Amino acid sequence: MLDVQTASLVAADTPHIVRREDYRPPDWLVPDIALDFDLGAAKTHVAATLTVTRNGNHDRPLVLDGDGLVPLSVRVDGQAVNDWRMDGGRLVVPLAGNAATVETEVEIAPEANTQLMGLYASGGLLCTQCEAEGFRRITFFPDRPDVLSRYAVRMVADKAAYPVLLANGDNVANGDAEDGKHWAEWRDPHPKPCYLFAMVAGDLSVNADSFTTISGRTVSLGIWVRAADVPKTAHAMAALKASMAWDEAVYGREYDLDIFNIVAVDDFNFGAMENKGLNIFNSRYILADPDTATDLDYDGVTGVVAHEYFHNWSGNRVTCRDWFQLSLKEGFTVFRDQSFSADQGSAAVKRIEDVRGLRASQFPEDSGPLAHPIRPESYMEIGNFYTATVYNKGAEVIRMMHTMLGAERFRRGTDLYFDRHDGQAATCEDFVRAMEDGGGIDLTGFRRWYEQAGTPKLTTSVRMDGETAVLSLEQSVPATPGQPVKAPMPLPLRLALFDRATGEHRGETLHVLEAAQEELRFDGWASRPVLSINRDFSAPVVVETDRTPADLAFLSAHDDDPFARYEAMQQLMLDTLVADISGNPADPTAVIDAVGATLGDPDLDPAFIGEAVLLPSEAFIGDQMLVVDPEAISAAREKLRIAVAKAHLPRWRALYEANGARAFEYSPQAKGARRIRNVALGSIAAADPVEGAKLAFAQFGAADNMTDRMGALMTLANGDAPERVAALDIFYNRYRGNALVIDKWFSTQALSTRTDTLAAVEELLRHPDFAYSNPNRFRALVGAFSVNQRAFHAIGGRGYAFLADQILALDPVNPQTAAKMVPPLGRWRRFDEARANMIRAALERIVAQPGVSKDVYEQASKSLV
Ligand code: B3K
Ligand code: ZN
């Protein structure tokens, strides 16, 4: 068993490419499946009974996917058969009639499953992860999302080791068995694809609650964790109940089972999983209390709990026909969770954070060798397509439809979509058509957003023609791998023209730019207005305008669209930085004044101020340049940061004091105060490192919450002050044994701007708390380092060799997580020749590694092109 599963990691010489155009309906359907598990960490016995029916008129045999499975027995209609054969990992069973009952038995070894796909052990628990293709590691089955079945599950396990037995749906029977074992039976009445199957066995305690749905049904809610962690589940429970109410109010979607359970596990390949009625979460998106979680962590819990809950309709009731349609459920569900979070707090700050995330992860993907449309055309390994493009650009595409239709017509579209496709495996095209039919809009051209990769670039200029302001708009979509020539994309642009004299605009308009070029005329302007465009980031594009520093400063003080106001400030900062980096001495006065005006504006939300006054990240500055020069970027950014910090030092000190030590409270006001306080701390440290370190160390010691403690630790970790080492030690000793907090200790050091960061990271690899078996820990150390532009791209190229070594070390253990680490190496074209050569050498070494997984092979080989 072990050997076979290890063998499955080895990439075939020419990995098979799956293409969207090759989709064919399944040959056999499986309306019902009964699963019988005799559970053990070392050995689990799985007996499956599939009711199969021939789909269409053909004589092909039943082909069941399997990965590392050996059939112990195969029976058809109750009789043992021996005319089955194996085809690679698949089990092929010839069947004479149009329907049959097919039984198989296999044995699997959960504790040897380091890939964390299928059934595996995590901290004494047994749990499952099946999306995308993990079910085939549990039992033989047509592992594709368009085969929907009703599940009956029986679990038997040792009662002492596994007192709690959970699966999808309703718990219909329980009992004790011989030898200290017990059993449970679960039945899920809703037909589902196998990627939504889930099961958990372990010693868990529950935070139990309930929710009454809009039609008056009571749903039992349970969040299952280790006993000691129950007090840390209150925030997740509140988020779950708020999500259930929100989906009823905003989308008219009610929950459809009597039970909704969530289980938190420590070893998990990503954030969480929306299994029907039994969500399984990475514990970092469930556990939160003031002592261990930052405000950002709390927000992460809210967003992921909501996201997985919303999948119950957008993903589970209506699922995907094939994995090319992944954005159908993911883009839509991200849009839904973003809208929910926006409704819970500051919508403006949420939008800024979401756009910043898009620019940090999706824009680089879209402009690099791994660029793909939100509906990809082909893949070697589907695990590599759970990307920022499919998720976050996918969400922007849904948002654009929402913008063009307005909330009411959008809702008519989603109502029609859910009515038409409930219980089906649908396509992106089905969604677009429901929007057209329900919302009353023609989306013919808009479909290009599903077909074309690459971030469109919009260039704008404003000129006067007498008393008419003429706005010229021009768009181009860059070439991406396999798509050399692009058609223009419909861009919904929210825009307004500001009157410099009054500081106001004359109303916002929504203009959908369909063509490559267009001119819009606005009459009645005596002088040239100031353009506010792509307000609220209405289209996911790069915008280049002819706005002057004075225009940007004006907007950063007057724009009534918070996103546009933030954007004007960012652009002003970027222009100043890019000029400096390109060798044109830049005057920081405009930036200093704009920051001063923002800090002093009493009408602004503190959380917004905390976002708006931050300089763009080094990586984002790099994205604006033809050739990224990491040293010049960090030097210019540091210079501007210090200049802004020094110019407003008294104000930073005043803000620091004014927003200081109050007892912890989780409210938007208190979060805003903590944000400002920690931004002020960073600025004080930039202006005066000695004073900053003193303040930080005091804050570190006195903090009654993790946001303030981490804010202080990060400030110290970036500097040279003697307090740095002491703080890191105190932090480690205080939280030793708390995996989620120790992850922060690792990542803070890996993200440090100090010059010795790589050496520190190499040292941390040898720390007893580092382990390749835990994806959170690997991401905290190696993942964090790989996005630290200054350290990763430091002269000499040691960072590249280090990352390649780490990817190759993780690959045999967990190929899916290893493959996620490849993209930073795909950016080689953006760097100077010396760096590009070293990065390519790292990629070539990965590709040439004997036995490399197809996950890593796909990412690395495509990155070389
Ligand atoms: N649907 C899962 C992601 C599964 C990732 C598999 N590689 C979580 C989510 O998007 O909600
Ligand atoms: Zn999702």
Side-chain angles (χ1 to χ4, degrees):
M1 156 71 210
L2 230 191
D3 286 340
V4 184
Q5 286 217 342
T6 313
S8 74
L9 294 181
V10 179
D13 290 339
T14 43
H16 176 63
I17 295 177
V18 185
R19 292 177 204 284
R20 184 168 73 90
E21 65 196 15
D22 292 343
Y23 173 82
R24 264 195 357 198
D27 281 345
W28 291 84
L29 301 176
V30 188
D32 285 284
I33 174 172
L35 286 163
D36 201 331
F37 292 94
D38 191 349
L39 290 163
K43 195 176 80 179
T44 288
H45 182 271
V46 188
T49 306
L50 282 59
T51 308
V52 303
T53 58
R54 197 181 293 271
N55 189 32
N57 196 7
H58 65 83
D59 57 6
R60 289 182 287 275
L62 173 70
V63 179
L64 302 174
D65 295 299
D67 179 2
L69 302 177
V70 177
L72 301 176
S73 77
V74 179
R75 277 191 293 270
V76 174
D77 294 329
Q79 302 296 312
V81 295
N82 52 18
D83 57 349
W84 55 269
R85 65 184 169 86
M86 295 298 290
D87 173 16
R90 284 183 291 268
L91 172 66
V92 181
V93 188
L95 294 175
N98 286 334
T101 302
V102 177
E103 295 168 74
T104 64
E105 282 178 87
V106 297
E107 248 168 40
I108 51 179
E111 73 188 4
N113 181 354
T114 60
Q115 294 188 37
L116 314 184
M117 288 294 286
L119 177 67
Y120 65 93
S122 174
L125 299 177
L126 295 177
C127 65
T128 54
Q129 171 56 39
C130 293
E131 187 177 1
E133 296 178 338
F135 193 68
R136 63 184 65 182
R137 293 165 56 79
I138 296 175
T139 192
F140 288 107
F141 196 79
D143 190 353
R144 44 187 290 167
D146 57 352
V147 173
L148 277 64
S149 321
R150 275 178 301 269
Y151 280 67
V153 175
R154 181 181 164 86
M155 306 159 73
V156 185
D158 183 82
K159 193 170 181 173
Y162 306 106
V164 175
L165 303 174
L166 304 172
N168 315 92
D170 299 313
N171 184 198
V172 292
N174 300 286
D176 285 332
E178 290 164 7
D179 304 331
K181 291 188 172 187
H182 69 149
W183 57 269
E185 286 180 7
W186 289 79
R187 214 144 282 172
D188 183 357
H190 296 278
K192 63 170 178 284
C194 65
Y195 81 86
L196 291 172
F197 166 77
M199 176 178 74
V200 176
D203 187 1
L204 292 161
S205 293
V206 67
N207 172 357
D209 208 326
S210 70
F211 177 82
T212 306
T213 70
I214 195 157
S215 70
R217 280 189 314 104
T218 303
V219 180
S220 306
L221 309 177
I223 300 185
W224 299 81
V225 296
R226 276 182 294 257
D229 287 333
V230 172
K232 294 184 188 162
T233 58
H235 181 69
M237 183 59 86
L240 174 59
K241 288 162 112 182
S243 306
M244 296 178 88
W246 189 90
D247 213 15
E248 291 178 347
V250 180
Y251 282 86
R253 299 292 120 198
E254 186 179 349
Y255 188 61
D256 53 5
L257 286 165
D258 295 337
I259 301 181
F260 187 82
N261 280 325
I262 293 178
V263 178
V265 304
D266 291 337
D267 304 290
F268 206 69
N269 277 340
F270 31 87
M273 180 65 211
E274 70 264 25
N275 317 298
K276 183 81 188 185
L278 177 56
N279 287 187
I280 298 181
F281 270 62
N282 186 324
S283 49
R284 74 172 285 201
Y285 292 111
I286 287 295
L287 305 181
D289 70 4
D291 188 48
T292 56
T294 62
D295 291 336
L296 215 66
D297 294 329
Y298 273 80
D299 291 346
V301 169
T302 306
V304 179
V305 166
H307 180 97
E308 306 310 330
Y309 174 72
F310 295 154
H311 268 316
N312 190 56
W313 276 94
S314 49
N316 301 2
R317 289 289 289 250
V318 183
T319 191
C320 298
R321 186 192 72 174
D322 55 72
W323 292 121
F324 296 102
Q325 319 299 329
L326 185 57
S327 201
L328 173 70
K329 73 177 178 84
E330 296 305 347
F332 186 25
T333 304
V334 171
F335 173 67
R336 278 151 57 69
D337 84 57
Q338 289 178 346
S339 314
F340 167 75
S341 293
D343 284 354
Q344 304 299 301
S346 162
V349 172
K350 175 64 180 154
R351 187 66 183 134
I352 291 168
E353 287 169 353
D354 289 340
V355 174
R356 191 189 296 128
L358 187 82
R359 285 173 169 161
S361 55
Q362 199 277 325
F363 277 22
E365 191 167 275
D366 230 357
S367 65
L370 298 173
H372 51 275
I374 65 167
R375 184 183 56 202
E377 294 297 338
S378 68
Y379 59 77
M380 286 179 207
E381 167 52 55
I382 184 57
N384 287 332
F385 284 82
Y386 287 75
T387 58
T389 297
V390 166
Y391 274 64
N392 302 81
K393 185 176 183 178
E396 294 298 324
V397 169
I398 305 293
R399 184 183 292 267
M400 285 190 282
M401 292 188 235
H402 186 277
T403 301
M404 291 188 294
L405 286 165
E408 224 170 276
R409 285 162 64 209
F410 181 81
R411 169 69 191 270
R412 274 185 242 148
T414 59
D415 281 353
L416 183 63
Y417 169 71
F418 288 123
D419 279 357
R420 267 187 191 167
H421 300 292
D422 189 10
Q424 294 178 7
T427 63
C428 296
E429 176 56 26
D430 291 331
F431 186 90
V432 175
R433 209 170 305 129
M435 282 294 140
E436 291 186 315
D437 297 347
I441 190 173
D442 179 356
L443 295 168
T444 309
F446 190 81
R447 283 174 171 77
R448 264 174 227 139
W449 281 100
Y450 286 87
E451 292 155 12
Q452 297 193 150
T455 308
K457 181 168 167 187
L458 173 71
T459 310
T460 78
S461 60
V462 179
R463 67 181 160 80
M464 296 305 294
D465 179 6
E467 297 220 331
T468 299
V470 184
L471 167 61
S472 104
L473 302 169
E474 205 179 315
Q475 64 157 305
S476 61
V477 188
T480 48
Q483 296 187 333
V485 184
K486 305 283 173 71
M489 313 272 249
L491 308 181
L493 299 169
R494 289 176 50 186
L495 58 95
L497 295 176
F498 276 82
D499 187 332
R500 240 174 272 261
T502 63
E504 302 202 339
H505 64 77
R506 302 184 186 166
E508 182 186 277
T509 49
L510 173 69
H511 179 73
V512 183
L513 173 65
E514 306 264 0
Q517 241 175 321
E518 205 179 333
E519 279 197 348
L520 304 181
R521 300 175 68 83
F522 300 87
D523 296 334
W525 288 92
S527 65
R528 191 172 174 275
V530 184
L531 173 68
S532 169
I533 192 157
N534 209 25
R535 310 181 95 214
D536 202 39
F537 202 68
S538 57
V541 301
V542 170
V543 184
E544 205 171 284
T545 69
D546 61 350
R547 293 178 296 194
T548 63
D551 293 342
L552 295 171
F554 170 90
L555 291 171
S556 79
H558 293 103
D559 205 319
D560 59 337
D561 177 75
F563 180 82
R565 186 168 177 157
Y566 159 84
E567 190 76 333
M569 182 97 105
Q570 289 286 298
Q571 194 60 52
L572 190 61
M573 292 167 170
L574 261 184
D575 291 351
T576 308
L577 288 162
V578 171
D580 202 10
I581 294 160
S582 332
N584 308 316
D587 178 4
T589 312
V591 172
I592 289 172
D593 291 349
V595 170
T598 301
L599 289 177
D601 188 334
D603 297 333
L604 291 176
D605 171 7
F608 173 84
I609 297 177
E611 297 298 325
V613 300
L614 288 185
L615 297 180
S617 72
E618 291 184 14
F620 187 62
I621 301 165
D623 291 341
Q624 317 307 308
M625 312 192 60
L626 235 43
V627 179
V628 184
D629 181 344
E631 279 78 27
I633 290 172
S634 60
R637 188 177 185 276
E638 205 49 23
K639 194 169 90 183
L640 185 58
R641 200 169 78 90
I642 292 171
V644 174
K646 284 194 166 153
H648 297 300
L649 188 54
R651 194 171 240 151
W652 294 121
R653 287 188 180 125
L655 281 168
Y656 187 79
E657 288 308 318
N659 291 283
R662 267 175 274 166
F664 177 84
E665 189 185 299
Y666 185 74
S667 65
Q669 293 73 16
K671 280 168 72 180
R674 284 191 287 275
R675 183 88 179 118
I676 287 279
R677 178 171 161 87
N678 284 297
V679 169
L681 175 65
S683 297
I684 296 168
D688 182 343
V690 174
E691 180 188 347
K694 220 173 102 229
L695 272 185
F697 197 65
Q699 173 175 322
F700 178 79
D704 69 348
N705 66 84
M706 185 53 94
T707 304
D708 286 341
R709 196 168 294 125
M710 275 302 289
L713 186 68
M714 272 154 43
T715 298
L716 290 169
N718 287 339
D720 294 317
E723 290 93 337
R724 174 180 160 271
V725 176
L728 283 167
D729 284 352
I730 295 169
F731 189 91
Y732 178 78
N733 289 322
R734 175 175 177 146
Y735 292 108
R736 181 179 216 147
N738 182 327
L740 296 177
V741 183
I742 295 301
D743 286 340
K744 296 183 193 301
W745 183 79
F746 276 94
S747 63
T748 301
Q749 297 176 75
L751 290 169
S752 169
T753 52
R754 288 164 55 92
T755 50
D756 63 355
T757 295
L758 176 55
V761 169
E762 284 172 328
E763 182 73 35
L764 285 167
L765 270 185
R766 293 190 284 274
H767 193 281
D769 288 349
F770 180 78
Y772 289 100
S773 56
N774 180 260
N776 285 1
R777 188 56 48 84
F778 189 86
R779 285 187 284 256
L781 185 60
V782 180
F785 172 75
S786 74
V787 297
N788 180 344
Q789 179 165 286
R790 205 185 295 195
F792 179 55
H793 292 285
I795 287 175
R798 265 177 62 218
Y800 311 139
F802 168 82
L803 183 58
D805 289 344
Q806 292 311 310
I807 289 168
L808 290 175
L810 182 62
D811 191 33
V813 179
N814 186 336
Q816 194 171 139
T817 297
K820 292 251 152 52
M821 301 290 160
V822 175
L825 293 168
R827 316 251 314 122
W828 58 272
R829 273 183 200 281
R830 307 295 320 283
F831 289 83
D832 56 86
E833 206 183 323
R835 283 189 170 93
N837 287 337
M838 290 186 287
I839 303 176
R840 286 184 60 92
L843 285 167
E844 275 158 5
R845 187 152 63 84
I846 294 173
V847 171
Q849 174 78 10
V852 68
S853 68
K854 69 172 171 171
D855 312 54
V856 167
Y857 177 83
E858 175 173 38
Q859 299 286 79
S861 60
K862 287 182 175 172
S863 294
L864 275 164
V865 178

